[in-house]
Amino acid sequence: MFRNSRDRFMAFSDGVFAVILTVLVLEIRLPTGSQLLSSSWLHFAYAILIYVAGFSLISTYWYFHQKLFSQVHRLTGKLIVLNFYCLFFISLMPILTQVIAMDPLSKSRSFIYGLVYLIFNIYLWWLFRVVEQLLRHLKPWTPVERARANHQIAIVRNTAIVGLIACLCAWIWAPLTPLILAFSPLVRDVTKIF
Amino acid sequence: MFRNSRDRFMAFSDGVFAVILTVLVLEIRLPTGSQLLSSSWLHFAYAILIYVAGFSLISTYWYFHQKLFSQVHRLTGKLIVLNFYCLFFISLMPILTQVIAMDPLSKSRSFIYGLVYLIFNIYLWWLFRVVEQLLRHLKPWTPVERARANHQIAIVRNTAIVGLIACLCAWIWAPLTPLILAFSPLVRDVTKIF
Amino acid sequence: MFRNSRDRFMAFSDGVFAVILTVLVLEIRLPTGSQLLSSSWLHFAYAILIYVAGFSLISTYWYFHQKLFSQVHRLTGKLIVLNFYCLFFISLMPILTQVIAMDPLSKSRSFIYGLVYLIFNIYLWWLFRVVEQLLRHLKPWTPVERARANHQIAIVRNTAIVGLIACLCAWIWAPLTPLILAFSPLVRDVTKIF
Amino acid sequence: MFRNSRDRFMAFSDGVFAVILTVLVLEIRLPTGSQLLSSSWLHFAYAILIYVAGFSLISTYWYFHQKLFSQVHRLTGKLIVLNFYCLFFISLMPILTQVIAMDPLSKSRSFIYGLVYLIFNIYLWWLFRVVEQLLRHLKPWTPVERARANHQIAIVRNTAIVGLIACLCAWIWAPLTPLILAFSPLVRDVTKIF
């Protein structure tokens, strides 16, 4: 008999997250020395901003991902497939970063960038609800556990709302999208307050 | 005394799968802005199709790989060597993707791409039978376990058949090969029905 | 209920460290054959020196990182965030290596290179103190444990002092900075003596 | 108190091995379509040979590495440092592959390639003896265990001898070096016979 291995599922996902995170940094191009006073330093600043935004997003998603599967002790084939869709979105990060890095002032590019993350965030939110149902089904939750789970799902929903705002702000000024997304990890702390 | 370490065997394999999966995405080249109306967007669409095909294949193979070794608790040197052949095939994925991405309409290139995966799939099928024999040898299986193992091996065999079809379809229209391979994970669900 | 997973936290961090370490080596450019007698071999020697410095720094930081979290059995959200800042610094290594490799004799570039690592070292030192407080809070330490923890923190502090020296030496001769940083792992052994 | 973590030591090493293995494949350049009849296909054949050699070497070293540390349950700082030297050698693989791939017929380049692996193999052999002494010190070995350990060390020594032969054969015909190294995993089976 062949079974699904939970440990390898986690190790593989972590590997993909770790490689994507470090691949992002390879996209940053340094301004060459002779262009010290030209616009290349401004492009470099945009590149750093875009990198920070990418780093924030991937670390936020990794954080959600490890929370999501922390209590899933028995993997079904369906969860593995849903996780691969999740990794597929994550793996698009380097291309999306390229899309936005090639022309940081293009409003449509920033919008596409924001939109993909908005869609991913909604997908992640839906995934949390799927896993929540699965876990509840296995073992009834205490009120404290239910409150914590609801709080966690609220964080994911609020992150999606921030994604929507970032997406719309692209039409005001393109670099606003990565700027807002760079601060998206703060959603976790803000949700705690309310 | 020095022994083989099962955990490290898994961690190493997962690492290779994860890096290969993310290296694939680096192959995608974005169309540059000035070519908006030229054929570069069509090439971009092909690149995305080829990426999805590669992603599907690697995730399918990882899925098979983790099932394959999930019940192997004692590693022999022979299994490690067989696994390295397996990782060797997987590591060819980025080159094969390059082969097909350089000329997505070339029938012979698509055929080679499909052929290598067909060979790999047959190898994987054989590997499942080797491991099955090994596991049976250690502990007799219950009828339920035997049925599940046979079902799993049937999935691998059917994936190989889909690989053969994809391979042959290259001669009809080259992009059919990645298109069919992109949907190869569905084989698992279709096998369930019959 | 969703929880933080300590194992995945470690696996993810190790993955980032491992990828960054190997990405560094990709920056090294070989001198081409026709330039055998030109200055390209000198640049190659600088590239090797810078690679060794990067390798030393990352291995030192990994060493500190694994010591730091070895006794943290329950992860708080705050520690995960602090760790992401840590990984962010580490992920800047390939760009910094590019900065210094593009002009190994530039004093200001070497200074920036040294400065970032000095700041990171001070951050790491502070992180050790945070974790120390956290661990002490959970369980009182024996005098031996306290002495060992203090010794460990002294190593991190001394590494920061070496970073400061490397930083200042950039103004004497630029390649001194990577040269001193290449030997920074020796701080551990020197601290043992005193 | 801060301790060394054995699990993370393994995970980190596996990560480095996995990334280096997959980085190797990125070095392979495909012949472009218009050069179908020129010498580019010969260069492609050399590239594949060099890739297979690199894959063989890294998988052999990983195999040795996991055997080496399988019974080390308590890590000392010294072992971590010795392992970092080991990873340093491994991380040079992509550059060495570049050295040899740029001119596959250069005898001196093949010699350098072979020489570095010979030195690494001797280092690995010495490391096995260090760990053997360490393990014996902790717990007396039974005759069977001692025989197995000696057998394992003999495999590493014989691999070093094959490395020496590969190194010297570079002066006969340059591609002999990668060719012999590509078959170096067979040393394990040959040692079994005698």
Side-chain angles (χ1 to χ4, degrees), chain D residues 71-89:
Chain D
Q71 300 300 306
V72 178
H73 296 297
R74 226 178 102 59
L75 275 181
T76 57
K78 191 193 162 193
L79 271 180
I80 291 179
V81 170
L82 290 177
N83 182 51
F84 269 115
Y85 290 143
C86 185
L87 294 180
F88 182 78
F89 270 106

Side-chain angles (χ1 to χ4, degrees), chain D residues 26-177:
Chain D
L26 299 180
E27 299 292 327
I28 305 176
R29 290 282 158 265
L30 282 179
T32 49
S34 58
Q35 297 166 311
L36 274 177
L37 295 167
S38 76
S39 67
S40 81
W41 281 99
L42 193 68
H43 271 91
F44 183 58
Y46 284 138
I48 292 289
L49 171 66
I50 290 163
Y51 175 62
V52 173
F55 195 96
S56 289
L57 286 171
I58 291 180
S59 53
T60 306
Y61 293 147
W62 177 82
Y63 181 80
F64 288 161
H65 191 273
Q66 56 103 0
K67 284 240 168 184
L68 184 61
F69 290 103
S70 61
Q71 300 300 306
V72 178
H73 296 297
R74 226 178 102 59
L75 275 181
T76 57
K78 191 193 162 193
L79 271 180
I80 291 179
V81 170
L82 290 177
N83 182 51
F84 269 115
Y85 290 143
C86 185
L87 294 180
F88 182 78
F89 270 106
I90 290 292
S91 77
L92 292 178
M93 183 66 102
I95 312 179
L96 278 165
T97 300
Q98 249 181 287
V99 166
I100 204 177
M102 271 162 66
D103 188 357
L105 295 172
S106 156
K107 285 172 181 176
S108 52
R109 280 166 188 263
S110 282
F111 181 73
I112 291 168
Y113 182 82
L115 194 66
V116 173
Y117 289 106
L118 179 58
I119 294 168
F120 178 56
N121 246 319
I122 293 167
Y123 174 69
L124 211 60
W125 182 43
W126 175 76
L127 212 60
F128 261 94
R129 300 201 74 106
V130 168
V131 172
E132 189 203 12
Q133 301 258 321
L134 202 99
L135 293 176
R136 263 195 202 164
H137 195 74
L138 291 174
K139 198 177 64 150
W141 281 359
T142 63
V144 176
E145 284 178 333
R146 177 167 300 186
R148 284 199 191 170
N150 284 340
H151 175 70
Q152 188 59 47
I153 292 170
I155 294 174
V156 182
R157 194 202 51 215
N158 291 358
T159 308
I161 292 169
V162 170
L164 179 64
I165 294 166
C167 208
L168 295 176
C169 286
W171 299 110
I172 301 170
W173 189 50
L176 268 182
T177 304

Side-chain angles (χ1 to χ4, degrees), chain C residues 10 14 17-18 22 25-26 28 30 51-52 55 59 62-63 65-67 70-71 128 141 145 148 188, chain D residues 1-5 8-9 11-12 15-16 19-20 23 77 80-81 84 87-88 91 95 98-99 102:
Chain C
M10 302 310 185
D14 283 341
F17 273 97
T22 39
V25 83
L26 299 179
I28 305 177
L30 282 179
Y51 175 63
V52 173
F55 195 96
S59 53
W62 177 82
Y63 181 80
H65 191 272
Q66 57 103 1
K67 284 239 167 185
S70 60
Q71 300 299 306
F128 261 95
W141 282 359
E145 283 177 333
R148 283 198 193 170
R188 198 179 63 87
Chain D
M1 211 177 98
F2 304 104
R3 281 185 212 146
N4 292 322
S5 161
R8 296 198 54 191
F9 174 79
F12 178 70
V16 172
V19 180
I20 291 289
V23 157
I80 291 179
V81 170
F84 269 115
L87 294 180
F88 182 78
S91 77
I95 312 179
Q98 249 181 287
V99 166
M102 271 162 66

Side-chain angles (χ1 to χ4, degrees), chain D residues 174-194:
Chain D
L176 268 182
T177 304
L179 200 66
I180 293 168
L181 291 175
F183 288 101
S184 65
L186 296 178
V187 171
R188 197 179 64 87
D189 303 298
V190 175
T191 309
K192 216 168 258 170
I193 298 163
F194 294 107

Side-chain angles (χ1 to χ4, degrees), chain B residues 31-92:
Chain B
T32 49
S34 57
Q35 297 166 310
L36 275 176
L37 295 168
S38 78
S39 68
S40 81
W41 281 99
L42 193 67
H43 270 92
F44 183 59
Y46 284 139
I48 292 288
L49 171 66
I50 290 163
Y51 175 63
V52 174
F55 196 96
S56 289
L57 286 171
I58 291 180
S59 53
T60 306
Y61 294 147
W62 177 83
Y63 181 80
F64 288 161
H65 192 273
Q66 56 104 1
K67 284 241 169 184
L68 183 61
F69 291 103
S70 60
Q71 300 298 307
V72 179
H73 296 298
R74 226 179 102 57
L75 276 181
T76 57
K78 191 192 162 194
L79 272 179
I80 291 179
V81 171
L82 291 177
N83 182 51
F84 269 115
Y85 291 142
C86 185
L87 294 180
F88 182 77
F89 271 106
I90 290 291
S91 77
L92 291 179

